[in-house]
Amino acid sequence: MSLNMQSADLNPCANVSLGIDEACFNILNLYYFPVLFYSIPWEAYWGSGMLKAVLPKRSSRNLVVSTKHPLHIFYRTDKNQSDTPNLEYCHTTYNFKEHGSYGWNISSEQLCSDVYVIRQPSESYLPILVAFMIAILLASLWATSKVIVRVIRGKLSPDNVHDDLDRLQETESATHSLIRITRCSIRIQSVDTFRGISILLMIFVNNGGGQYVFFNHSAWFGLTVADLVLPWFAWIMGLAITISKRAELRVTITRVRITLRCLQRTFTLILLGLMLNSMESKSLSDLRFPGVLQLLAVSYFVCATLETIFMKPHSQNTLTQFGRFAMLGDILDSWPQWVVMICILAIHTLITFLLSVPGCPRGYLGPGGEYDHRGKYINCTAGAAGYIDRSIFGDHMYSKTNNSVYGTILRYDPEGLMNTVSAILIVYMGVHAGKILLVYYQCNSRAVRWILWALLTGIIAGFLCNYEQQGGAIPLSKRMMTLSFVLACSSSAFLLFTILYLLIDYKQLWSGAPFIYAGTNPIFLYVGHVLTKHLFPWAWEIASPTHASVLAMNLWTTALWTIIAYILYRKDIIITV
């Protein structure tokens, strides 16, 4: 008993039970009257906080605080309880760490001390480091074993350089009897690898991402790893559109027939999306209409139809076709599509900043809710985009209204109508990357242009958001699919694809494994992981979850789907929609 009392004296939080992303905060009030404690995530601080506790006079109290975001704290005296005016003191922002114990002393003499550490936090990022080191070790062992096998068999690959697009387009003319031609072998490997990275990362974060904040979507503003997966998938879908439509036009399939195929695929994706949404709906009255597959379907149809209408069946020499403007051949080759894209972008921007939303300022892009700007915009969630979605879809939209930073907000849909329009631009950025692949034949020409587009889109995105998390004329927001977010994601996609193309298809230093396996059947994997999200052996209930245990389960889920993708790849099974 005495040991427990001594432990409590040394650590007031000794008996406090903490979960994932939680810390104990002990506040010692030395006033002779009660004080009011306020806190709010720093991202949502606009001069006010939320009342979290009333601290009795001459007492201490333990509070469990979230460690996901830096916390702004202060206290206020109550003039009804003392002779002191109702004033605020000790405004400070502190970044608490998981499972740490912290203290804060307030009194009339000192007002408040700095936040001090009573017990050191746990190493919450250690499981990620261990998982990363294991992945590096396994990759090294795999690469080493392949080299050893090749040396033993005397089949080391020559230092050849092959053009991936030529191989894809001319495979049908190859007749060497010793080469086994499969549906998987004639695909562009860097494209499948990029797509595989996107879908496996999507599976990982959708299942929890180890409950790490950077593997979850940003609260509203900013950019996390999880925010990249859908834009990346949409971007690489656009690149595949360019290649597939050129191939279809080259075999003299009529444009009308190609358009009908696009329409058929669009309806199939929408139907699959509605089926997945029905898993979380109790009845048709609240069935969510928008969704990830619906967003991809609409953006795919717009971009694929544009390419079907305007794309030329055969590439022409850029120097002959455009003369002194050959360096702009990729843009000039598709100027009608760019005109349409600029018009769509202009309409989207005008609606966003000029549409009048009752009780809200024009151009509002924030989350609304009770925390944003002291509740001033409580009914303005997502601005014009949210207003349009609520007006069109009503109850048939995203139902979650609890935001980890901004509290209770209005219903809105992250894959709603306006966000789908934004996604069209992301897809078309991928289409243009594919256009560079078609128009230019030299690897250096392709890589330089992809890098230039990465720089251009990145600089414009930074200019729009003022290189801040929630600043600038158009802040970064995945929830809103803002223009700065679209350009930032496109910039990273251009850069990542350039690296993959050089490593896999040009230098042939990497086969793309294991991501290339998932990239051949991405829609199958996406639908499959949603259907089995809470089923064994993909997932199970964890009695006392920690970052390590949840991360292990999420990595196992992702690895299991990678194994399934590998089996399909080896059997040359490609499930298309």
Side-chain angles (χ1 to χ4, degrees), residues 62-94:
N62 293 328
L63 299 176
V64 176
V65 296
S66 172
T67 62
K68 290 184 177 181
H69 308 279
L71 199 65
H72 188 81
I73 59 176
F74 62 94
Y75 72 91
R76 177 180 294 170
T77 57
D78 189 347
K79 63 180 179 180
N80 295 324
Q81 300 289 334
S82 68
D83 297 331
T84 306
N86 190 3
L87 300 175
E88 296 178 1
Y89 298 94
C90 301
H91 280 268
T92 186
T93 301
Y94 196 83

Side-chain angles (χ1 to χ4, degrees), residues 8-67:
D9 290 337
L10 295 174
N11 181 12
C13 298
N15 297 321
V16 177
S17 179
L18 299 173
I20 294 178
D21 290 329
E22 289 183 342
C24 179
F25 188 31
N26 177 264
I27 306 175
L28 177 61
N29 175 23
L30 297 176
Y31 282 104
Y32 285 94
F33 51 82
V35 297
L36 311 177
F37 173 73
Y38 291 79
S39 70
I40 193 169
W42 172 247
E43 182 180 331
Y45 177 66
W46 295 95
S48 67
M50 304 300 293
L51 178 63
K52 296 299 181 180
V54 178
L55 307 175
K57 63 179 181 179
R58 308 291 292 180
S59 66
S60 68
R61 181 168 179 179
N62 293 328
L63 299 176
V64 176
V65 296
S66 172
T67 62

